[in-house]
Amino acid sequence: MREGENPPLGRAIKVESLSAWFGELQALKGVSLYIEANQVTAIIGPSGCGKSTFVRCLNRMHEEVPGARVEGRVFLDGLDIYDPEVDPMEVRRVIGMVFQRPNPFPNMSIFDNVAAGLRLGGVRNRRVLEEEVEKALRMAGLWDEVKDRLHERGSLLSGGQQQRLCIARALAVKPEVLLLDEPASALDPASTLKIEDLVREMKKDLTVVIVTHNMQQAARVSDYTAFLLDGELVEYAPTKELFTRPKERRTEDYITGRFG
Amino acid sequence: MFMVAASLAAVVALAPLLWVLVVLVMKGAPSLDLDFFTKLPKPLGVEGGGMANAVVGSLMVVGLGSAIALPLGVLGGVYTREYAGVWGARAVRLVSDVLAGVPSIVLGVFVWAVVVVAMRRFSALAGGLALALVMLPTVQRSTDEVLALVPQEVREGALALGIPKWKAVLWVVVPSAAGGILSGALLAVARAAGETAPLLLTALGNRFWNLRPDRPVATLPVMIFNYAISPYEDWHRQAWAAALVLVAGVLLLTLGARWVLRRKYGGS
Amino acid sequence: MDSGTTRKSFHEELASLEASLLGSGELVQRSLELAVEALKTREPVLAQVIAIDDEVDRRYQAIEEGILGLLARQSPVAGDLRLVAAMLHVNLHLERIGDLSVNIAKFVEMTREYVPSPEILQCLQDMGARAREMVGQALKAFAERDLSLAMQLPSLDEPIDELNRRVFDLVIGAARDPSLLDWASRIVLVSRFLERVGDQAVDIGEQVGFLVTGEVRQFEVERGMPDTGGRGALLGGTPQ
């Protein structure tokens, strides 16, 4: 980064003793880690290990489930997002999320989908909306494919395109962090690779956290990898390290396929 | 073998409907003329006239009923599906189901006791209220069920953008169910348009023009009732014509509901 | 697809490749033994040694292909990945040792009519015994993932290097006796071959180091520390 350039927009997240419950069931047990700014961090682990729950605690979506509870602190650039003074909505604007199954808003055009976050956030100016929508679609690698049919319904796109549409929608509100919860698991291999390329590109502008059950994907796409098991953090290391020389027996057993 | 039985059953089920339509058209069409829609009923014993006031009156009471029941019903459905806790939702749904089960004549009596007696007169407003009570549970329930079909991911996707819940519900969830909500509303209206019993005790009837909501008003179903039980041949003819018009109106509303549904959901 | 079962067959495949590799190790030790014995007994072992080497070469190809197939199909990671990479190297080292045995046997064949020097012969026997011992220990360290065993190898290599120098000195000494000179000057190569076998064994030991620690380091004997008994240490790394 040269002198005088603006520092990259992403921010680091410090997670301190994060615990989460669904009613009586504890899904996360005191997880602590530091997510580096402008890097891709992958969260891996067997089904039910708490990786989705973890990520949903980062943008305060977990608490939307009836009976759900969170304890612990999550600092975004020094500010605890669970501080009682903090509005969960603001957190979600700054920490965006893309879900496992593509979920474009039904009955809305491609343009309206991408613009939704902006419009509902109060932006009215047509020109501004058009600019931001184009930027977001370009970032998501979808612009060229849809620029001539922005007013067609989002649900008419293919699965891979729909997911990129959802990514564009999330990017349009300019978050600092983007959380992706198994974004490619419902997609075909070619779309999956496109999404992976996208993730690598995105880290220039934001911090990316990606949950995946596909270890090869985690190995391909991320700079850091965290391995969760039964709600606990077992190991967290630079990806190359974790996949060539894991320190924990459980990590080694999981990634070599001896269980899970 | 099963296919034959099923097809036979379908024919048996549809036959009465077709029969009714055929009879209506045969009996009603000849009596249907412009007068029907433009003239007032003639005094007892005099030939001719029409039911212009009843057509307008029906529109009035159905309109009033819709104006009350549709917003309340849709909001009620939104409440039970999007906002209520388990117990709140159960309570509202229970009340709705009970209300749906109350015979419409009883609803008419209720409105009579509460509104007509208080106002000391029959009125279009009372009629509208009675119809609203008929429509309300239907609209609430259909809105509730259509909203249930909206995948949870849509709500999560909206919330994840950092917008408040009410905006997510109003601008994302409800619009995505718009087709279903609209068609549910149209069906409720169609049903209300044909209700007779509640109107007997509330709107009563009127042989003259009336556009005032606080006065009794003529409606097609009630006119059909009155004319049909009369001894006059002429009135019988007009009753058939009115029946045809009523059924045609309901049919249009029902078809309209299906068309809306197809456009919104079957478009691809 | 049950990842448990797929991985089971992967681990079975991996285990069978390793067994094949260790089998090659046995064969290579045998051929070395035959060749070194023949130095003294002058028996015609060349055909046998070549036959063993052909088998080693065949296995070398098979193991190489098996490893490539595993890499392509299974994307091994962590310990499995290191094992696969180490096997690839050890495979090559064993194949080299096999070739060296053949070379030694060829020389025995070629120098049968010559007059040997008992002294030089004794050195060579010594070297041969130590070289065989080193190969055996290196393969044992590999099979048991025993790092300390592997780290002793450089110190076992020292005597071989010394003997190699001694042979060289003796050969120069033999220049005075023309009847010996022919044989001696040719047999120098055998000494060289045996020294290289020792080096290959140390290389195998380094692969054990990589396999166990994940670090790619060269072994070297610690100098100036007589009380450690000349134990090998990882260059620049902390003693394990």
PDB file of all heavy atoms in Angstrom, chain B residues 84-117:
ATOM      1  N   ALA B  84     -46.691 -11.726  16.166  1.00  0.00           N
ATOM      2  CA  ALA B  84     -47.220 -12.280  17.412  1.00  0.00           C
ATOM      3  C   ALA B  84     -46.334 -13.374  17.963  1.00  0.00           C
ATOM      4  O   ALA B  84     -45.678 -14.089  17.219  1.00  0.00           O
ATOM      5  CB  ALA B  84     -48.614 -12.840  17.158  1.00  0.00           C
ATOM      6  N   GLY B  85     -46.314 -13.505  19.282  1.00  0.00           N
ATOM      7  CA  GLY B  85     -45.682 -14.652  19.901  1.00  0.00           C
ATOM      8  C   GLY B  85     -46.594 -15.854  19.699  1.00  0.00           C
ATOM      9  O   GLY B  85     -47.673 -15.739  19.123  1.00  0.00           O
ATOM     10  N   VAL B  86     -46.152 -17.017  20.185  1.00  0.00           N
ATOM     11  CA  VAL B  86     -46.938 -18.235  19.980  1.00  0.00           C
ATOM     12  C   VAL B  86     -48.351 -18.084  20.509  1.00  0.00           C
ATOM     13  O   VAL B  86     -49.332 -18.434  19.843  1.00  0.00           O
ATOM     14  CB  VAL B  86     -46.256 -19.428  20.680  1.00  0.00           C
ATOM     15  CG1 VAL B  86     -47.135 -20.654  20.587  1.00  0.00           C
ATOM     16  CG2 VAL B  86     -44.905 -19.703  20.033  1.00  0.00           C
ATOM     17  N   TRP B  87     -48.467 -17.513  21.715  1.00  0.00           N
ATOM     18  CA  TRP B  87     -49.801 -17.423  22.330  1.00  0.00           C
ATOM     19  C   TRP B  87     -50.647 -16.354  21.681  1.00  0.00           C
ATOM     20  O   TRP B  87     -51.849 -16.539  21.485  1.00  0.00           O
ATOM     21  CB  TRP B  87     -49.666 -17.192  23.826  1.00  0.00           C
ATOM     22  CG  TRP B  87     -49.025 -18.393  24.441  1.00  0.00           C
ATOM     23  CD1 TRP B  87     -47.750 -18.487  24.905  1.00  0.00           C
ATOM     24  CD2 TRP B  87     -49.606 -19.689  24.586  1.00  0.00           C
ATOM     25  NE1 TRP B  87     -47.510 -19.755  25.339  1.00  0.00           N
ATOM     26  CE2 TRP B  87     -48.621 -20.525  25.167  1.00  0.00           C
ATOM     27  CE3 TRP B  87     -50.863 -20.231  24.287  1.00  0.00           C
ATOM     28  CZ2 TRP B  87     -48.857 -21.867  25.455  1.00  0.00           C
ATOM     29  CZ3 TRP B  87     -51.096 -21.574  24.575  1.00  0.00           C
ATOM     30  CH2 TRP B  87     -50.094 -22.375  25.159  1.00  0.00           C
ATOM     31  N   GLY B  88     -50.050 -15.243  21.353  1.00  0.00           N
ATOM     32  CA  GLY B  88     -50.805 -14.183  20.694  1.00  0.00           C
ATOM     33  C   GLY B  88     -51.372 -14.667  19.369  1.00  0.00           C
ATOM     34  O   GLY B  88     -52.548 -14.459  19.063  1.00  0.00           O
ATOM     35  N   ALA B  89     -50.511 -15.364  18.613  1.00  0.00           N
ATOM     36  CA  ALA B  89     -50.965 -15.847  17.313  1.00  0.00           C
ATOM     37  C   ALA B  89     -52.085 -16.856  17.479  1.00  0.00           C
ATOM     38  O   ALA B  89     -53.083 -16.829  16.757  1.00  0.00           O
ATOM     39  CB  ALA B  89     -49.794 -16.476  16.560  1.00  0.00           C
ATOM     40  N   ARG B  90     -51.919 -17.746  18.441  1.00  0.00           N
ATOM     41  CA  ARG B  90     -52.965 -18.754  18.663  1.00  0.00           C
ATOM     42  C   ARG B  90     -54.273 -18.089  19.034  1.00  0.00           C
ATOM     43  O   ARG B  90     -55.349 -18.508  18.585  1.00  0.00           O
ATOM     44  CB  ARG B  90     -52.543 -19.695  19.795  1.00  0.00           C
ATOM     45  CG  ARG B  90     -51.622 -20.765  19.329  1.00  0.00           C
ATOM     46  CD  ARG B  90     -51.488 -21.841  20.374  1.00  0.00           C
ATOM     47  NE  ARG B  90     -50.280 -22.605  20.096  1.00  0.00           N
ATOM     48  CZ  ARG B  90     -49.733 -23.474  20.936  1.00  0.00           C
ATOM     49  NH1 ARG B  90     -50.274 -23.660  22.123  1.00  0.00           N
ATOM     50  NH2 ARG B  90     -48.661 -24.129  20.609  1.00  0.00           N
ATOM     51  N   ALA B  91     -54.195 -17.075  19.868  1.00  0.00           N
ATOM     52  CA  ALA B  91     -55.419 -16.396  20.312  1.00  0.00           C
ATOM     53  C   ALA B  91     -56.136 -15.768  19.133  1.00  0.00           C
ATOM     54  O   ALA B  91     -57.346 -15.968  18.949  1.00  0.00           O
ATOM     55  CB  ALA B  91     -55.066 -15.330  21.352  1.00  0.00           C
ATOM     56  N   VAL B  92     -55.396 -15.027  18.331  1.00  0.00           N
ATOM     57  CA  VAL B  92     -56.038 -14.353  17.201  1.00  0.00           C
ATOM     58  C   VAL B  92     -56.606 -15.368  16.217  1.00  0.00           C
ATOM     59  O   VAL B  92     -57.723 -15.207  15.716  1.00  0.00           O
ATOM     60  CB  VAL B  92     -55.042 -13.414  16.479  1.00  0.00           C
ATOM     61  CG1 VAL B  92     -55.679 -12.829  15.225  1.00  0.00           C
ATOM     62  CG2 VAL B  92     -54.590 -12.300  17.407  1.00  0.00           C
ATOM     63  N   ARG B  93     -55.828 -16.424  15.963  1.00  0.00           N
ATOM     64  CA  ARG B  93     -56.326 -17.419  15.004  1.00  0.00           C
ATOM     65  C   ARG B  93     -57.578 -18.100  15.531  1.00  0.00           C
ATOM     66  O   ARG B  93     -58.496 -18.422  14.772  1.00  0.00           O
ATOM     67  CB  ARG B  93     -55.241 -18.452  14.718  1.00  0.00           C
ATOM     68  CG  ARG B  93     -54.150 -17.890  13.845  1.00  0.00           C
ATOM     69  CD  ARG B  93     -53.170 -18.924  13.359  1.00  0.00           C
ATOM     70  NE  ARG B  93     -52.043 -18.241  12.743  1.00  0.00           N
ATOM     71  CZ  ARG B  93     -50.766 -18.416  13.087  1.00  0.00           C
ATOM     72  NH1 ARG B  93     -50.447 -19.262  14.039  1.00  0.00           N
ATOM     73  NH2 ARG B  93     -49.817 -17.740  12.477  1.00  0.00           N
ATOM     74  N   LEU B  94     -57.628 -18.324  16.831  1.00  0.00           N
ATOM     75  CA  LEU B  94     -58.805 -18.953  17.436  1.00  0.00           C
ATOM     76  C   LEU B  94     -60.027 -18.065  17.257  1.00  0.00           C
ATOM     77  O   LEU B  94     -61.093 -18.519  16.822  1.00  0.00           O
ATOM     78  CB  LEU B  94     -58.546 -19.207  18.920  1.00  0.00           C
ATOM     79  CG  LEU B  94     -59.697 -19.880  19.666  1.00  0.00           C
ATOM     80  CD1 LEU B  94     -59.941 -21.275  19.116  1.00  0.00           C
ATOM     81  CD2 LEU B  94     -59.398 -19.948  21.155  1.00  0.00           C
ATOM     82  N   VAL B  95     -59.861 -16.812  17.606  1.00  0.00           N
ATOM     83  CA  VAL B  95     -60.981 -15.871  17.467  1.00  0.00           C
ATOM     84  C   VAL B  95     -61.449 -15.828  16.018  1.00  0.00           C
ATOM     85  O   VAL B  95     -62.650 -15.849  15.725  1.00  0.00           O
ATOM     86  CB  VAL B  95     -60.558 -14.459  17.929  1.00  0.00           C
ATOM     87  CG1 VAL B  95     -61.585 -13.435  17.508  1.00  0.00           C
ATOM     88  CG2 VAL B  95     -60.340 -14.442  19.426  1.00  0.00           C
ATOM     89  N   SER B  96     -60.477 -15.802  15.119  1.00  0.00           N
ATOM     90  CA  SER B  96     -60.801 -15.750  13.700  1.00  0.00           C
ATOM     91  C   SER B  96     -61.592 -16.984  13.274  1.00  0.00           C
ATOM     92  O   SER B  96     -62.593 -16.883  12.564  1.00  0.00           O
ATOM     93  CB  SER B  96     -59.496 -15.667  12.907  1.00  0.00           C
ATOM     94  OG  SER B  96     -59.750 -15.315  11.597  1.00  0.00           O
ATOM     95  N   ASP B  97     -61.146 -18.142  13.713  1.00  0.00           N
ATOM     96  CA  ASP B  97     -61.841 -19.374  13.343  1.00  0.00           C
ATOM     97  C   ASP B  97     -63.249 -19.391  13.910  1.00  0.00           C
ATOM     98  O   ASP B  97     -64.203 -19.811  13.244  1.00  0.00           O
ATOM     99  CB  ASP B  97     -61.068 -20.590  13.865  1.00  0.00           C
ATOM    100  CG  ASP B  97     -59.820 -20.869  13.032  1.00  0.00           C
ATOM    101  OD1 ASP B  97     -59.714 -20.267  11.940  1.00  0.00           O
ATOM    102  OD2 ASP B  97     -58.977 -21.664  13.461  1.00  0.00           O
ATOM    103  N   VAL B  98     -63.391 -18.918  15.141  1.00  0.00           N
ATOM    104  CA  VAL B  98     -64.726 -18.897  15.754  1.00  0.00           C
ATOM    105  C   VAL B  98     -65.642 -17.972  14.969  1.00  0.00           C
ATOM    106  O   VAL B  98     -66.774 -18.321  14.621  1.00  0.00           O
ATOM    107  CB  VAL B  98     -64.637 -18.450  17.225  1.00  0.00           C
ATOM    108  CG1 VAL B  98     -66.019 -18.114  17.762  1.00  0.00           C
ATOM    109  CG2 VAL B  98     -63.977 -19.535  18.065  1.00  0.00           C
ATOM    110  N   LEU B  99     -65.109 -16.801  14.676  1.00  0.00           N
ATOM    111  CA  LEU B  99     -65.906 -15.831  13.928  1.00  0.00           C
ATOM    112  C   LEU B  99     -66.317 -16.397  12.574  1.00  0.00           C
ATOM    113  O   LEU B  99     -67.443 -16.197  12.107  1.00  0.00           O
ATOM    114  CB  LEU B  99     -65.085 -14.543  13.743  1.00  0.00           C
ATOM    115  CG  LEU B  99     -65.843 -13.323  13.200  1.00  0.00           C
ATOM    116  CD1 LEU B  99     -67.016 -12.972  14.095  1.00  0.00           C
ATOM    117  CD2 LEU B  99     -64.887 -12.144  13.075  1.00  0.00           C
ATOM    118  N   ALA B 100     -65.365 -17.128  11.955  1.00  0.00           N
ATOM    119  CA  ALA B 100     -65.678 -17.702  10.650  1.00  0.00           C
ATOM    120  C   ALA B 100     -66.802 -18.721  10.761  1.00  0.00           C
ATOM    121  O   ALA B 100     -67.555 -18.933   9.817  1.00  0.00           O
ATOM    122  CB  ALA B 100     -64.427 -18.357  10.062  1.00  0.00           C
ATOM    123  N   GLY B 101     -66.934 -19.313  11.917  1.00  0.00           N
ATOM    124  CA  GLY B 101     -67.935 -20.348  12.081  1.00  0.00           C
ATOM    125  C   GLY B 101     -69.314 -19.823  12.460  1.00  0.00           C
ATOM    126  O   GLY B 101     -70.300 -20.538  12.412  1.00  0.00           O
ATOM    127  N   VAL B 102     -69.367 -18.563  12.834  1.00  0.00           N
ATOM    128  CA  VAL B 102     -70.663 -18.003  13.230  1.00  0.00           C
ATOM    129  C   VAL B 102     -71.549 -17.836  12.002  1.00  0.00           C
ATOM    130  O   VAL B 102     -71.120 -17.257  11.009  1.00  0.00           O
ATOM    131  CB  VAL B 102     -70.473 -16.639  13.919  1.00  0.00           C
ATOM    132  CG1 VAL B 102     -71.810 -15.970  14.171  1.00  0.00           C
ATOM    133  CG2 VAL B 102     -69.667 -16.805  15.191  1.00  0.00           C
ATOM    134  N   PRO B 103     -72.782 -18.321  12.069  1.00  0.00           N
ATOM    135  CA  PRO B 103     -73.671 -18.182  10.892  1.00  0.00           C
ATOM    136  C   PRO B 103     -73.880 -16.707  10.585  1.00  0.00           C
ATOM    137  O   PRO B 103     -73.977 -15.875  11.490  1.00  0.00           O
ATOM    138  CB  PRO B 103     -74.973 -18.842  11.349  1.00  0.00           C
ATOM    139  CG  PRO B 103     -74.610 -19.689  12.521  1.00  0.00           C
ATOM    140  CD  PRO B 103     -73.430 -19.048  13.160  1.00  0.00           C
ATOM    141  N   SER B 104     -73.958 -16.377   9.320  1.00  0.00           N
ATOM    142  CA  SER B 104     -73.999 -14.966   8.953  1.00  0.00           C
ATOM    143  C   SER B 104     -75.278 -14.291   9.464  1.00  0.00           C
ATOM    144  O   SER B 104     -75.281 -13.090   9.727  1.00  0.00           O
ATOM    145  CB  SER B 104     -73.869 -14.805   7.442  1.00  0.00           C
ATOM    146  OG  SER B 104     -74.852 -15.556   6.771  1.00  0.00           O
ATOM    147  N   ILE B 105     -76.349 -15.058   9.649  1.00  0.00           N
ATOM    148  CA  ILE B 105     -77.570 -14.453  10.172  1.00  0.00           C
ATOM    149  C   ILE B 105     -77.336 -13.975  11.603  1.00  0.00           C
ATOM    150  O   ILE B 105     -77.813 -12.917  12.011  1.00  0.00           O
ATOM    151  CB  ILE B 105     -78.774 -15.436  10.096  1.00  0.00           C
ATOM    152  CG1 ILE B 105     -80.044 -14.782  10.634  1.00  0.00           C
ATOM    153  CG2 ILE B 105     -78.514 -16.700  10.878  1.00  0.00           C
ATOM    154  CD1 ILE B 105     -80.617 -13.710   9.774  1.00  0.00           C
ATOM    155  N   VAL B 106     -76.545 -14.755  12.339  1.00  0.00           N
ATOM    156  CA  VAL B 106     -76.237 -14.365  13.713  1.00  0.00           C
ATOM    157  C   VAL B 106     -75.422 -13.078  13.720  1.00  0.00           C
ATOM    158  O   VAL B 106     -75.652 -12.191  14.549  1.00  0.00           O
ATOM    159  CB  VAL B 106     -75.460 -15.494  14.432  1.00  0.00           C
ATOM    160  CG1 VAL B 106     -75.009 -15.034  15.795  1.00  0.00           C
ATOM    161  CG2 VAL B 106     -76.332 -16.743  14.527  1.00  0.00           C
ATOM    162  N   LEU B 107     -74.507 -12.992  12.770  1.00  0.00           N
ATOM    163  CA  LEU B 107     -73.729 -11.756  12.675  1.00  0.00           C
ATOM    164  C   LEU B 107     -74.666 -10.580  12.370  1.00  0.00           C
ATOM    165  O   LEU B 107     -74.501  -9.472  12.895  1.00  0.00           O
ATOM    166  CB  LEU B 107     -72.661 -11.877  11.587  1.00  0.00           C
ATOM    167  CG  LEU B 107     -71.533 -12.875  11.890  1.00  0.00           C
ATOM    168  CD1 LEU B 107     -70.643 -13.048  10.671  1.00  0.00           C
ATOM    169  CD2 LEU B 107     -70.723 -12.412  13.079  1.00  0.00           C
ATOM    170  N   GLY B 108     -75.666 -10.871  11.519  1.00  0.00           N
ATOM    171  CA  GLY B 108     -76.635  -9.830  11.196  1.00  0.00           C
ATOM    172  C   GLY B 108     -77.401  -9.392  12.451  1.00  0.00           C
ATOM    173  O   GLY B 108     -77.585  -8.196  12.705  1.00  0.00           O
ATOM    174  N   VAL B 109     -77.805 -10.360  13.225  1.00  0.00           N
ATOM    175  CA  VAL B 109     -78.539 -10.042  14.458  1.00  0.00           C
ATOM    176  C   VAL B 109     -77.670  -9.208  15.391  1.00  0.00           C
ATOM    177  O   VAL B 109     -78.130  -8.232  15.995  1.00  0.00           O
ATOM    178  CB  VAL B 109     -78.975 -11.342  15.175  1.00  0.00           C
ATOM    179  CG1 VAL B 109     -79.511 -11.026  16.559  1.00  0.00           C
ATOM    180  CG2 VAL B 109     -80.011 -12.080  14.352  1.00  0.00           C
ATOM    181  N   PHE B 110     -76.422  -9.613  15.458  1.00  0.00           N
ATOM    182  CA  PHE B 110     -75.484  -8.894  16.324  1.00  0.00           C
ATOM    183  C   PHE B 110     -75.397  -7.419  15.923  1.00  0.00           C
ATOM    184  O   PHE B 110     -75.508  -6.505  16.738  1.00  0.00           O
ATOM    185  CB  PHE B 110     -74.117  -9.572  16.263  1.00  0.00           C
ATOM    186  CG  PHE B 110     -73.015  -8.771  16.875  1.00  0.00           C
ATOM    187  CD1 PHE B 110     -72.897  -8.653  18.255  1.00  0.00           C
ATOM    188  CD2 PHE B 110     -72.092  -8.103  16.078  1.00  0.00           C
ATOM    189  CE1 PHE B 110     -71.886  -7.911  18.821  1.00  0.00           C
ATOM    190  CE2 PHE B 110     -71.075  -7.358  16.632  1.00  0.00           C
ATOM    191  CZ  PHE B 110     -70.965  -7.256  18.012  1.00  0.00           C
ATOM    192  N   VAL B 111     -75.172  -7.216  14.619  1.00  0.00           N
ATOM    193  CA  VAL B 111     -75.034  -5.834  14.147  1.00  0.00           C
ATOM    194  C   VAL B 111     -76.356  -5.075  14.338  1.00  0.00           C
ATOM    195  O   VAL B 111     -76.381  -3.885  14.671  1.00  0.00           O
ATOM    196  CB  VAL B 111     -74.586  -5.797  12.671  1.00  0.00           C
ATOM    197  CG1 VAL B 111     -74.574  -4.362  12.144  1.00  0.00           C
ATOM    198  CG2 VAL B 111     -73.206  -6.417  12.532  1.00  0.00           C
ATOM    199  N   TRP B 112     -77.472  -5.796  14.140  1.00  0.00           N
ATOM    200  CA  TRP B 112     -78.761  -5.164  14.395  1.00  0.00           C
ATOM    201  C   TRP B 112     -78.837  -4.660  15.819  1.00  0.00           C
ATOM    202  O   TRP B 112     -79.163  -3.508  16.077  1.00  0.00           O
ATOM    203  CB  TRP B 112     -79.879  -6.176  14.103  1.00  0.00           C
ATOM    204  CG  TRP B 112     -81.239  -5.660  14.426  1.00  0.00           C
ATOM    205  CD1 TRP B 112     -82.067  -4.918  13.620  1.00  0.00           C
ATOM    206  CD2 TRP B 112     -81.959  -5.840  15.662  1.00  0.00           C
ATOM    207  NE1 TRP B 112     -83.236  -4.626  14.252  1.00  0.00           N
ATOM    208  CE2 TRP B 112     -83.191  -5.185  15.531  1.00  0.00           C
ATOM    209  CE3 TRP B 112     -81.678  -6.492  16.866  1.00  0.00           C
ATOM    210  CZ2 TRP B 112     -84.148  -5.154  16.535  1.00  0.00           C
ATOM    211  CZ3 TRP B 112     -82.623  -6.468  17.878  1.00  0.00           C
ATOM    212  CH2 TRP B 112     -83.845  -5.800  17.712  1.00  0.00           C
ATOM    213  N   ALA B 113     -78.464  -5.555  16.758  1.00  0.00           N
ATOM    214  CA  ALA B 113     -78.585  -5.195  18.163  1.00  0.00           C
ATOM    215  C   ALA B 113     -77.662  -4.051  18.526  1.00  0.00           C
ATOM    216  O   ALA B 113     -78.017  -3.177  19.319  1.00  0.00           O
ATOM    217  CB  ALA B 113     -78.270  -6.414  19.033  1.00  0.00           C
ATOM    218  N   VAL B 114     -76.513  -4.044  17.959  1.00  0.00           N
ATOM    219  CA  VAL B 114     -75.522  -3.058  18.389  1.00  0.00           C
ATOM    220  C   VAL B 114     -75.628  -1.753  17.600  1.00  0.00           C
ATOM    221  O   VAL B 114     -75.517  -0.671  18.164  1.00  0.00           O
ATOM    222  CB  VAL B 114     -74.102  -3.651  18.245  1.00  0.00           C
ATOM    223  CG1 VAL B 114     -73.047  -2.577  18.430  1.00  0.00           C
ATOM    224  CG2 VAL B 114     -73.915  -4.777  19.242  1.00  0.00           C
ATOM    225  N   VAL B 115     -75.818  -1.859  16.294  1.00  0.00           N
ATOM    226  CA  VAL B 115     -75.744  -0.652  15.468  1.00  0.00           C
ATOM    227  C   VAL B 115     -77.139  -0.118  15.118  1.00  0.00           C
ATOM    228  O   VAL B 115     -77.425   1.061  15.297  1.00  0.00           O
ATOM    229  CB  VAL B 115     -74.960  -0.929  14.162  1.00  0.00           C
ATOM    230  CG1 VAL B 115     -74.964   0.290  13.255  1.00  0.00           C
ATOM    231  CG2 VAL B 115     -73.542  -1.347  14.500  1.00  0.00           C
ATOM    232  N   VAL B 116     -77.980  -1.028  14.620  1.00  0.00           N
ATOM    233  CA  VAL B 116     -79.282  -0.564  14.147  1.00  0.00           C
ATOM    234  C   VAL B 116     -80.092   0.014  15.298  1.00  0.00           C
ATOM    235  O   VAL B 116     -80.706   1.073  15.175  1.00  0.00           O
ATOM    236  CB  VAL B 116     -80.049  -1.717  13.459  1.00  0.00           C
ATOM    237  CG1 VAL B 116     -81.447  -1.267  13.085  1.00  0.00           C
ATOM    238  CG2 VAL B 116     -79.279  -2.180  12.240  1.00  0.00           C
ATOM    239  N   VAL B 117     -80.074  -0.690  16.395  1.00  0.00           N
ATOM    240  CA  VAL B 117     -80.845  -0.205  17.554  1.00  0.00           C
ATOM    241  C   VAL B 117     -80.264   1.101  18.062  1.00  0.00           C
ATOM    242  O   VAL B 117     -80.996   2.044  18.371  1.00  0.00           O
ATOM    243  CB  VAL B 117     -80.842  -1.272  18.675  1.00  0.00           C
ATOM    244  CG1 VAL B 117     -81.348  -0.669  19.968  1.00  0.00           C
ATOM    245  CG2 VAL B 117     -81.663  -2.481  18.264  1.00  0.00           C
TER     246      VAL B 117
END
